[in-house]
Amino acid sequence: MPNVVVIGAQWGDEGKGKVVDIYTEHADNVVRYQGGNNAGHTLVVGDEKVVLHLIPSGILHEGKRCIIGNGVVLDPEVFIREITNLKAKGRIKDDSVLCLSEGLHIIMPYHKRIDIAREAKSGDKKIGTTGRGIGPAYEDKIGRRGIRLCDLLDRDIFARKLTEALEEKNFLLEKFLNDKPFTFEEIFNEYNGYAATLRKYVADTSLMLHQEVKAGRNILFEGAQGTLLDVDHGTYPFVTSSSTCAGGACTGTGVSPREINEIIGISKAYVTRVGSGPFPTELLDETGENMRQAGNEFGSTTGRPRRCGWFDAVVLRYAVRVNGLTGVAITKLDVLDGFDTVKICTGYRYKGKVITEIPATLEVFADCEPVYEEMPGWNCAISNVKSFAALPENAQKYVKRLEQLMGCEIVMVSVGPRRDETISLRNPFFA
Ligand code: GDP
Ligand code: IMO
Ligand code: MG
């Protein structure tokens, strides 16, 4: 069975959780490999709605192994709360299905306070982060002073690393950010308590995954955020601090690129973005508001209204290229049901010229005007439709046009949040 990577092809919230939940049926292991609890992945099973921030979206399938890889930054409090909530709903009957990499980095209380204080200090230049301490935690990782799970589990190493960290963090908090410092004791005691709870989940997950592959069992990699939020390939600096693109699946798990067989990009039939940064097709008018209401576009992590706009084929072509997508799943096609016409951005007009690639300079990207193609809408409800051929002709034409402009095969069309509101065109697990 192939190993499949699922990634966001836009600015996050594309519906990765729903697709991973559906694909888990064909997977033995589901792995989160980057990001942290800035993610909010929504799964709808029957009448139940579950939002997961850290635990892989495979967890609703009994017996599937769910792994959090070394590339993730983990807030222990959030992780433990998520387990408790799932158990209260009768999920996770066996703790051994859940594994944490001993190499993942821990989000500390000072990371969260620094994240929030920095944003407050940045005024109108703020990134609009989720305030979960993601950026500061990755800064410490790359700066080689982070605290990993294996460090947390050793009392002495943890005490030494925390002492060293607090010297610097308290200076930053007090002297630069005008905020409160932390005492050693308050963090040490709380985090030692977390260590005791986390210990049973810890494993050498890279070795575990290697052995799984050798034994013929497969891996489903669950991306968080999206291509345009990648720290290298996204709309820097309005990005998150991890590698959200397909390459992150390997660095964030210790699985070789040679083991990846399929890379599926998830894209809405339109675009949303939370937080600041350029967004050429953004609709600041009534049409955008209608999209927000029809798609219930409010963040699953912070509750913020999501910015909405028309489908951007330039962004998708880019996502196809930098991730090497082998297929695209189009989600939320039903949200466009009520529109008389639908628009697709095919290029940008900048200083009188039309460009068809995303410019590297943020200021240029911010000044790009979308060039649109307009198509007739379908004006009827499609959530009950079970096959592509049964979709209204105009909806079929819209999807086919997206496929043509992206230059990548569409393997799934999602027409509602539920599992059975999904049209599968090609299953990457049976390629
Ligand atoms: P993720 O972060 O990529 O997993 O996406 P989110 O869960 O943050 O946001 C996607 C939202 O759209 C969730 O509330 C899903 O339940 C919902 N959703 C997913 N697919 C569809 C779809 O095809 N139609 C509709 N109407 N909602 C969908
Ligand atoms: P999922 O996995 C959408 C955005 C934030 C902000 C920027 C940086 O649910 O798709 P951070 O807290 O990561 O430092 O914030 O990234 N962002 C997301 N937007 N979906 C997400 O995750 C996001 N995770 C972070 O809004 O603009
Ligand atoms: Mg989300």
Side-chain angles (χ1 to χ4, degrees), residues 279-309:
F279 174 1
T281 63
E282 180 171 17
L283 293 163
L284 297 163
D285 55 8
E286 202 187 330
T287 311
E289 188 52 40
N290 291 343
M291 240 180 225
R292 187 173 304 112
Q293 295 304 331
N296 191 25
E297 295 296 357
F298 298 89
S300 31
T301 298
T302 56
R304 288 178 289 178
R306 294 172 179 154
R307 301 158 64 192
C308 298

PDB file of all heavy atoms in Angstrom, residues 279-309:
ATOM      1  N   PHE A 279      -3.456  38.849  -0.277  1.00  0.00           N
ATOM      2  CA  PHE A 279      -4.449  37.845  -0.693  1.00  0.00           C
ATOM      3  C   PHE A 279      -5.169  38.465  -1.881  1.00  0.00           C
ATOM      4  O   PHE A 279      -6.193  39.122  -1.730  1.00  0.00           O
ATOM      5  CB  PHE A 279      -5.369  37.601   0.512  1.00  0.00           C
ATOM      6  CG  PHE A 279      -6.564  36.703   0.296  1.00  0.00           C
ATOM      7  CD1 PHE A 279      -6.839  36.084  -0.916  1.00  0.00           C
ATOM      8  CD2 PHE A 279      -7.439  36.478   1.352  1.00  0.00           C
ATOM      9  CE1 PHE A 279      -7.947  35.278  -1.074  1.00  0.00           C
ATOM     10  CE2 PHE A 279      -8.550  35.679   1.208  1.00  0.00           C
ATOM     11  CZ  PHE A 279      -8.813  35.076  -0.007  1.00  0.00           C
ATOM     12  N   PRO A 280      -4.609  38.285  -3.110  1.00  0.00           N
ATOM     13  CA  PRO A 280      -5.108  39.016  -4.280  1.00  0.00           C
ATOM     14  C   PRO A 280      -6.599  38.862  -4.552  1.00  0.00           C
ATOM     15  O   PRO A 280      -7.247  39.823  -4.965  1.00  0.00           O
ATOM     16  CB  PRO A 280      -4.273  38.453  -5.434  1.00  0.00           C
ATOM     17  CG  PRO A 280      -3.042  37.918  -4.800  1.00  0.00           C
ATOM     18  CD  PRO A 280      -3.430  37.455  -3.424  1.00  0.00           C
ATOM     19  N   THR A 281      -7.176  37.684  -4.363  1.00  0.00           N
ATOM     20  CA  THR A 281      -8.583  37.514  -4.768  1.00  0.00           C
ATOM     21  C   THR A 281      -9.565  37.793  -3.622  1.00  0.00           C
ATOM     22  O   THR A 281     -10.755  37.504  -3.732  1.00  0.00           O
ATOM     23  CB  THR A 281      -8.848  36.089  -5.318  1.00  0.00           C
ATOM     24  OG1 THR A 281      -8.602  35.130  -4.263  1.00  0.00           O
ATOM     25  CG2 THR A 281      -7.962  35.763  -6.499  1.00  0.00           C
ATOM     26  N   GLU A 282      -9.058  38.366  -2.533  1.00  0.00           N
ATOM     27  CA  GLU A 282      -9.931  38.634  -1.381  1.00  0.00           C
ATOM     28  C   GLU A 282     -11.123  39.509  -1.776  1.00  0.00           C
ATOM     29  O   GLU A 282     -10.981  40.489  -2.512  1.00  0.00           O
ATOM     30  CB  GLU A 282      -9.124  39.339  -0.282  1.00  0.00           C
ATOM     31  CG  GLU A 282      -9.977  39.636   0.943  1.00  0.00           C
ATOM     32  CD  GLU A 282      -9.159  40.147   2.131  1.00  0.00           C
ATOM     33  OE1 GLU A 282      -8.001  40.585   1.938  1.00  0.00           O
ATOM     34  OE2 GLU A 282      -9.705  40.114   3.241  1.00  0.00           O
ATOM     35  N   LEU A 283     -12.298  39.138  -1.270  1.00  0.00           N
ATOM     36  CA  LEU A 283     -13.518  39.903  -1.538  1.00  0.00           C
ATOM     37  C   LEU A 283     -13.919  40.624  -0.256  1.00  0.00           C
ATOM     38  O   LEU A 283     -14.270  39.987   0.732  1.00  0.00           O
ATOM     39  CB  LEU A 283     -14.646  38.960  -1.967  1.00  0.00           C
ATOM     40  CG  LEU A 283     -14.450  38.260  -3.316  1.00  0.00           C
ATOM     41  CD1 LEU A 283     -15.390  37.072  -3.448  1.00  0.00           C
ATOM     42  CD2 LEU A 283     -14.663  39.242  -4.456  1.00  0.00           C
ATOM     43  N   LEU A 284     -13.848  41.940  -0.304  1.00  0.00           N
ATOM     44  CA  LEU A 284     -14.174  42.717   0.900  1.00  0.00           C
ATOM     45  C   LEU A 284     -15.617  43.223   0.839  1.00  0.00           C
ATOM     46  O   LEU A 284     -16.018  44.090   1.603  1.00  0.00           O
ATOM     47  CB  LEU A 284     -13.189  43.885   1.041  1.00  0.00           C
ATOM     48  CG  LEU A 284     -11.732  43.438   1.253  1.00  0.00           C
ATOM     49  CD1 LEU A 284     -10.754  44.571   0.980  1.00  0.00           C
ATOM     50  CD2 LEU A 284     -11.528  42.876   2.651  1.00  0.00           C
ATOM     51  N   ASP A 285     -16.388  42.675  -0.107  1.00  0.00           N
ATOM     52  CA  ASP A 285     -17.756  43.161  -0.313  1.00  0.00           C
ATOM     53  C   ASP A 285     -18.792  42.122   0.153  1.00  0.00           C
ATOM     54  O   ASP A 285     -18.466  41.168   0.853  1.00  0.00           O
ATOM     55  CB  ASP A 285     -17.955  43.476  -1.807  1.00  0.00           C
ATOM     56  CG  ASP A 285     -17.612  42.257  -2.680  1.00  0.00           C
ATOM     57  OD1 ASP A 285     -17.374  41.164  -2.104  1.00  0.00           O
ATOM     58  OD2 ASP A 285     -17.598  42.385  -3.907  1.00  0.00           O
ATOM     59  N   GLU A 286     -20.014  42.314  -0.302  1.00  0.00           N
ATOM     60  CA  GLU A 286     -21.115  41.440   0.088  1.00  0.00           C
ATOM     61  C   GLU A 286     -20.885  39.998  -0.399  1.00  0.00           C
ATOM     62  O   GLU A 286     -21.241  39.041   0.289  1.00  0.00           O
ATOM     63  CB  GLU A 286     -22.398  42.005  -0.549  1.00  0.00           C
ATOM     64  CG  GLU A 286     -23.655  41.563   0.139  1.00  0.00           C
ATOM     65  CD  GLU A 286     -24.884  42.023  -0.646  1.00  0.00           C
ATOM     66  OE1 GLU A 286     -24.816  43.083  -1.318  1.00  0.00           O
ATOM     67  OE2 GLU A 286     -25.889  41.302  -0.599  1.00  0.00           O
ATOM     68  N   THR A 287     -20.265  39.853  -1.560  1.00  0.00           N
ATOM     69  CA  THR A 287     -20.006  38.508  -2.091  1.00  0.00           C
ATOM     70  C   THR A 287     -19.100  37.738  -1.129  1.00  0.00           C
ATOM     71  O   THR A 287     -19.323  36.560  -0.846  1.00  0.00           O
ATOM     72  CB  THR A 287     -19.332  38.608  -3.488  1.00  0.00           C
ATOM     73  OG1 THR A 287     -20.095  39.518  -4.277  1.00  0.00           O
ATOM     74  CG2 THR A 287     -19.251  37.276  -4.182  1.00  0.00           C
ATOM     75  N   GLY A 288     -18.069  38.432  -0.607  1.00  0.00           N
ATOM     76  CA  GLY A 288     -17.164  37.790   0.357  1.00  0.00           C
ATOM     77  C   GLY A 288     -17.900  37.412   1.630  1.00  0.00           C
ATOM     78  O   GLY A 288     -17.676  36.332   2.198  1.00  0.00           O
ATOM     79  N   GLU A 289     -18.785  38.283   2.060  1.00  0.00           N
ATOM     80  CA  GLU A 289     -19.565  38.011   3.274  1.00  0.00           C
ATOM     81  C   GLU A 289     -20.496  36.810   3.042  1.00  0.00           C
ATOM     82  O   GLU A 289     -20.631  35.940   3.907  1.00  0.00           O
ATOM     83  CB  GLU A 289     -20.372  39.278   3.663  1.00  0.00           C
ATOM     84  CG  GLU A 289     -21.074  39.212   5.005  1.00  0.00           C
ATOM     85  CD  GLU A 289     -20.167  38.807   6.175  1.00  0.00           C
ATOM     86  OE1 GLU A 289     -19.013  39.259   6.230  1.00  0.00           O
ATOM     87  OE2 GLU A 289     -20.626  38.013   7.026  1.00  0.00           O
ATOM     88  N   ASN A 290     -21.092  36.741   1.859  1.00  0.00           N
ATOM     89  CA  ASN A 290     -21.957  35.603   1.527  1.00  0.00           C
ATOM     90  C   ASN A 290     -21.169  34.296   1.545  1.00  0.00           C
ATOM     91  O   ASN A 290     -21.656  33.263   2.011  1.00  0.00           O
ATOM     92  CB  ASN A 290     -22.608  35.779   0.143  1.00  0.00           C
ATOM     93  CG  ASN A 290     -23.624  36.905   0.154  1.00  0.00           C
ATOM     94  OD1 ASN A 290     -24.063  37.338   1.222  1.00  0.00           O
ATOM     95  ND2 ASN A 290     -23.967  37.409  -1.022  1.00  0.00           N
ATOM     96  N   MET A 291     -19.944  34.351   1.042  1.00  0.00           N
ATOM     97  CA  MET A 291     -19.081  33.166   1.037  1.00  0.00           C
ATOM     98  C   MET A 291     -18.772  32.740   2.472  1.00  0.00           C
ATOM     99  O   MET A 291     -18.816  31.563   2.812  1.00  0.00           O
ATOM    100  CB  MET A 291     -17.754  33.518   0.353  1.00  0.00           C
ATOM    101  CG  MET A 291     -17.436  32.718  -0.849  1.00  0.00           C
ATOM    102  SD  MET A 291     -15.852  33.296  -1.493  1.00  0.00           S
ATOM    103  CE  MET A 291     -16.268  33.365  -3.207  1.00  0.00           C
ATOM    104  N   ARG A 292     -18.449  33.734   3.317  1.00  0.00           N
ATOM    105  CA  ARG A 292     -18.107  33.450   4.718  1.00  0.00           C
ATOM    106  C   ARG A 292     -19.282  32.779   5.425  1.00  0.00           C
ATOM    107  O   ARG A 292     -19.117  31.796   6.150  1.00  0.00           O
ATOM    108  CB  ARG A 292     -17.719  34.751   5.436  1.00  0.00           C
ATOM    109  CG  ARG A 292     -17.177  34.531   6.844  1.00  0.00           C
ATOM    110  CD  ARG A 292     -16.646  35.803   7.471  1.00  0.00           C
ATOM    111  NE  ARG A 292     -15.639  36.420   6.645  1.00  0.00           N
ATOM    112  CZ  ARG A 292     -15.749  37.571   5.992  1.00  0.00           C
ATOM    113  NH1 ARG A 292     -16.854  38.282   6.111  1.00  0.00           N
ATOM    114  NH2 ARG A 292     -14.784  38.042   5.241  1.00  0.00           N
ATOM    115  N   GLN A 293     -20.482  33.281   5.171  1.00  0.00           N
ATOM    116  CA  GLN A 293     -21.662  32.711   5.827  1.00  0.00           C
ATOM    117  C   GLN A 293     -21.969  31.318   5.269  1.00  0.00           C
ATOM    118  O   GLN A 293     -22.184  30.375   6.022  1.00  0.00           O
ATOM    119  CB  GLN A 293     -22.890  33.628   5.652  1.00  0.00           C
ATOM    120  CG  GLN A 293     -22.748  35.000   6.338  1.00  0.00           C
ATOM    121  CD  GLN A 293     -22.434  34.910   7.838  1.00  0.00           C
ATOM    122  OE1 GLN A 293     -22.818  33.959   8.515  1.00  0.00           O
ATOM    123  NE2 GLN A 293     -21.715  35.893   8.365  1.00  0.00           N
ATOM    124  N   ALA A 294     -21.943  31.206   3.930  1.00  0.00           N
ATOM    125  CA  ALA A 294     -22.270  29.912   3.308  1.00  0.00           C
ATOM    126  C   ALA A 294     -21.260  28.843   3.708  1.00  0.00           C
ATOM    127  O   ALA A 294     -21.608  27.680   3.908  1.00  0.00           O
ATOM    128  CB  ALA A 294     -22.313  30.057   1.780  1.00  0.00           C
ATOM    129  N   GLY A 295     -19.970  29.234   3.850  1.00  0.00           N
ATOM    130  CA  GLY A 295     -18.930  28.256   4.178  1.00  0.00           C
ATOM    131  C   GLY A 295     -18.655  28.168   5.661  1.00  0.00           C
ATOM    132  O   GLY A 295     -17.769  27.434   6.079  1.00  0.00           O
ATOM    133  N   ASN A 296     -19.405  28.942   6.460  1.00  0.00           N
ATOM    134  CA  ASN A 296     -19.162  29.017   7.906  1.00  0.00           C
ATOM    135  C   ASN A 296     -17.672  29.241   8.160  1.00  0.00           C
ATOM    136  O   ASN A 296     -17.032  28.493   8.905  1.00  0.00           O
ATOM    137  CB  ASN A 296     -19.672  27.730   8.586  1.00  0.00           C
ATOM    138  CG  ASN A 296     -19.685  27.871  10.092  1.00  0.00           C
ATOM    139  OD1 ASN A 296     -19.770  28.991  10.619  1.00  0.00           O
ATOM    140  ND2 ASN A 296     -19.562  26.766  10.808  1.00  0.00           N
ATOM    141  N   GLU A 297     -17.148  30.265   7.527  1.00  0.00           N
ATOM    142  CA  GLU A 297     -15.706  30.498   7.553  1.00  0.00           C
ATOM    143  C   GLU A 297     -15.278  31.301   8.778  1.00  0.00           C
ATOM    144  O   GLU A 297     -14.994  32.494   8.715  1.00  0.00           O
ATOM    145  CB  GLU A 297     -15.257  31.164   6.237  1.00  0.00           C
ATOM    146  CG  GLU A 297     -15.441  30.281   5.004  1.00  0.00           C
ATOM    147  CD  GLU A 297     -14.577  29.005   5.014  1.00  0.00           C
ATOM    148  OE1 GLU A 297     -13.787  28.819   5.950  1.00  0.00           O
ATOM    149  OE2 GLU A 297     -14.713  28.202   4.085  1.00  0.00           O
ATOM    150  N   PHE A 298     -15.243  30.592   9.885  1.00  0.00           N
ATOM    151  CA  PHE A 298     -14.748  31.156  11.138  1.00  0.00           C
ATOM    152  C   PHE A 298     -13.743  30.148  11.686  1.00  0.00           C
ATOM    153  O   PHE A 298     -14.005  28.942  11.689  1.00  0.00           O
ATOM    154  CB  PHE A 298     -15.904  31.404  12.118  1.00  0.00           C
ATOM    155  CG  PHE A 298     -16.888  32.407  11.587  1.00  0.00           C
ATOM    156  CD1 PHE A 298     -17.962  32.006  10.798  1.00  0.00           C
ATOM    157  CD2 PHE A 298     -16.700  33.768  11.811  1.00  0.00           C
ATOM    158  CE1 PHE A 298     -18.840  32.931  10.249  1.00  0.00           C
ATOM    159  CE2 PHE A 298     -17.579  34.707  11.266  1.00  0.00           C
ATOM    160  CZ  PHE A 298     -18.656  34.286  10.488  1.00  0.00           C
ATOM    161  N   GLY A 299     -12.570  30.631  12.118  1.00  0.00           N
ATOM    162  CA  GLY A 299     -11.454  29.753  12.468  1.00  0.00           C
ATOM    163  C   GLY A 299     -11.798  28.696  13.503  1.00  0.00           C
ATOM    164  O   GLY A 299     -12.468  29.005  14.493  1.00  0.00           O
ATOM    165  N   SER A 300     -11.305  27.457  13.275  1.00  0.00           N
ATOM    166  CA  SER A 300     -11.587  26.388  14.238  1.00  0.00           C
ATOM    167  C   SER A 300     -10.622  26.429  15.420  1.00  0.00           C
ATOM    168  O   SER A 300     -10.820  25.748  16.407  1.00  0.00           O
ATOM    169  CB  SER A 300     -11.555  25.019  13.556  1.00  0.00           C
ATOM    170  OG  SER A 300     -10.664  24.988  12.494  1.00  0.00           O
ATOM    171  N   THR A 301      -9.580  27.262  15.349  1.00  0.00           N
ATOM    172  CA  THR A 301      -8.653  27.389  16.480  1.00  0.00           C
ATOM    173  C   THR A 301      -8.926  28.657  17.263  1.00  0.00           C
ATOM    174  O   THR A 301      -8.995  28.652  18.488  1.00  0.00           O
ATOM    175  CB  THR A 301      -7.188  27.372  15.967  1.00  0.00           C
ATOM    176  OG1 THR A 301      -6.969  26.113  15.341  1.00  0.00           O
ATOM    177  CG2 THR A 301      -6.184  27.538  17.100  1.00  0.00           C
ATOM    178  N   THR A 302      -9.094  29.784  16.556  1.00  0.00           N
ATOM    179  CA  THR A 302      -9.239  31.065  17.261  1.00  0.00           C
ATOM    180  C   THR A 302     -10.630  31.678  17.106  1.00  0.00           C
ATOM    181  O   THR A 302     -10.920  32.686  17.744  1.00  0.00           O
ATOM    182  CB  THR A 302      -8.196  32.075  16.726  1.00  0.00           C
ATOM    183  OG1 THR A 302      -8.379  32.179  15.313  1.00  0.00           O
ATOM    184  CG2 THR A 302      -6.782  31.628  17.025  1.00  0.00           C
ATOM    185  N   GLY A 303     -11.465  31.113  16.257  1.00  0.00           N
ATOM    186  CA  GLY A 303     -12.814  31.655  16.053  1.00  0.00           C
ATOM    187  C   GLY A 303     -12.843  32.926  15.213  1.00  0.00           C
ATOM    188  O   GLY A 303     -13.895  33.516  15.000  1.00  0.00           O
ATOM    189  N   ARG A 304     -11.680  33.357  14.694  1.00  0.00           N
ATOM    190  CA  ARG A 304     -11.645  34.601  13.906  1.00  0.00           C
ATOM    191  C   ARG A 304     -12.369  34.402  12.574  1.00  0.00           C
ATOM    192  O   ARG A 304     -12.285  33.311  11.987  1.00  0.00           O
ATOM    193  CB  ARG A 304     -10.184  34.980  13.592  1.00  0.00           C
ATOM    194  CG  ARG A 304      -9.418  35.490  14.783  1.00  0.00           C
ATOM    195  CD  ARG A 304      -7.966  35.800  14.411  1.00  0.00           C
ATOM    196  NE  ARG A 304      -7.189  34.586  14.164  1.00  0.00           N
ATOM    197  CZ  ARG A 304      -5.913  34.582  13.797  1.00  0.00           C
ATOM    198  NH1 ARG A 304      -5.282  35.718  13.597  1.00  0.00           N
ATOM    199  NH2 ARG A 304      -5.274  33.446  13.597  1.00  0.00           N
ATOM    200  N   PRO A 305     -13.039  35.460  12.066  1.00  0.00           N
ATOM    201  CA  PRO A 305     -13.636  35.321  10.729  1.00  0.00           C
ATOM    202  C   PRO A 305     -12.524  35.128   9.713  1.00  0.00           C
ATOM    203  O   PRO A 305     -11.488  35.785   9.787  1.00  0.00           O
ATOM    204  CB  PRO A 305     -14.343  36.667  10.488  1.00  0.00           C
ATOM    205  CG  PRO A 305     -14.158  37.478  11.704  1.00  0.00           C
ATOM    206  CD  PRO A 305     -13.253  36.783  12.665  1.00  0.00           C
ATOM    207  N   ARG A 306     -12.723  34.177   8.783  1.00  0.00           N
ATOM    208  CA  ARG A 306     -11.707  33.969   7.755  1.00  0.00           C
ATOM    209  C   ARG A 306     -11.955  34.923   6.600  1.00  0.00           C
ATOM    210  O   ARG A 306     -13.104  35.169   6.227  1.00  0.00           O
ATOM    211  CB  ARG A 306     -11.755  32.528   7.252  1.00  0.00           C
ATOM    212  CG  ARG A 306     -11.356  31.503   8.311  1.00  0.00           C
ATOM    213  CD  ARG A 306     -11.618  30.081   7.825  1.00  0.00           C
ATOM    214  NE  ARG A 306     -11.231  29.077   8.808  1.00  0.00           N
ATOM    215  CZ  ARG A 306     -11.769  27.856   8.882  1.00  0.00           C
ATOM    216  NH1 ARG A 306     -12.718  27.494   8.038  1.00  0.00           N
ATOM    217  NH2 ARG A 306     -11.369  27.003   9.791  1.00  0.00           N
ATOM    218  N   ARG A 307     -10.888  35.448   6.026  1.00  0.00           N
ATOM    219  CA  ARG A 307     -10.997  36.295   4.835  1.00  0.00           C
ATOM    220  C   ARG A 307     -11.327  35.362   3.664  1.00  0.00           C
ATOM    221  O   ARG A 307     -10.760  34.275   3.570  1.00  0.00           O
ATOM    222  CB  ARG A 307      -9.667  37.009   4.598  1.00  0.00           C
ATOM    223  CG  ARG A 307      -9.253  37.882   5.786  1.00  0.00           C
ATOM    224  CD  ARG A 307      -7.745  38.156   5.821  1.00  0.00           C
ATOM    225  NE  ARG A 307      -7.272  38.919   4.695  1.00  0.00           N
ATOM    226  CZ  ARG A 307      -5.974  39.073   4.386  1.00  0.00           C
ATOM    227  NH1 ARG A 307      -5.043  38.508   5.143  1.00  0.00           N
ATOM    228  NH2 ARG A 307      -5.621  39.788   3.347  1.00  0.00           N
ATOM    229  N   CYS A 308     -12.237  35.791   2.789  1.00  0.00           N
ATOM    230  CA  CYS A 308     -12.696  34.908   1.700  1.00  0.00           C
ATOM    231  C   CYS A 308     -12.481  35.537   0.329  1.00  0.00           C
ATOM    232  O   CYS A 308     -12.550  36.764   0.191  1.00  0.00           O
ATOM    233  CB  CYS A 308     -14.193  34.620   1.853  1.00  0.00           C
ATOM    234  SG  CYS A 308     -14.605  33.755   3.364  1.00  0.00           S
ATOM    235  N   GLY A 309     -12.270  34.717  -0.679  1.00  0.00           N
ATOM    236  CA  GLY A 309     -12.120  35.220  -2.051  1.00  0.00           C
ATOM    237  C   GLY A 309     -12.251  34.113  -3.076  1.00  0.00           C
ATOM    238  O   GLY A 309     -12.345  32.927  -2.738  1.00  0.00           O
TER     239      GLY A 309
END
